[in-house]
Amino acid sequence: GVSEADARRSFVPSGTNLLWLLEHLAVAEQAWVVIRSGATPVLIDNDSAGDAVARALAHYRATAAQVDAIIEVSPFDKATAYAAEDADVTLRL
């Protein structure tokens, strides 16, 4: 229910706004859960015309569903190899 203008409006000196925060949450969940699990992240086309808020919300919802599915079948302590860190990681990290 937030307009494009309101989603882009910042009320803090850092310039952070709701749209940026929503996009950041999707990317952070992909980095910490999806990629580390070996799954392929959900991507969106940021260059397509249309409502950026709806696109970002759809991206976050798709990422959240993917994260939920990964967590549902992955024990928290199960270690998986993560090449970027040259170490095993778990969902607890």
Side-chain angles (χ1 to χ4, degrees):
V2 175
S3 70
E4 284 284 320
D6 286 341
R8 294 175 187 276
R9 186 172 293 134
S10 174
F11 296 97
V12 295
S14 68
T16 301
N17 58 46
L18 289 175
L19 182 58
W20 178 90
L21 186 59
L22 187 59
E23 291 170 343
H24 174 74
L25 288 172
V27 171
E29 287 192 20
Q30 287 182 3
W32 284 102
V33 180
V34 177
I35 293 169
R36 287 171 182 246
S37 74
T40 302
V42 174
L43 301 176
I44 58 168
D45 182 6
N46 283 325
D47 295 330
S48 64
D51 185 353
V53 173
R55 195 169 51 249
L57 188 55
H59 185 216
Y60 178 75
R61 286 180 173 156
T63 298
Q66 187 179 27
V67 167
D68 288 348
I70 291 167
I71 289 173
E72 199 171 297
V73 298
S74 301
F76 279 137
D77 293 324
K78 180 184 176 216
T80 58
Y82 182 58
E85 292 180 5
D86 195 29
D88 288 348
V89 296
T90 69
L91 287 175
R92 290 191 185 276
L93 293 178

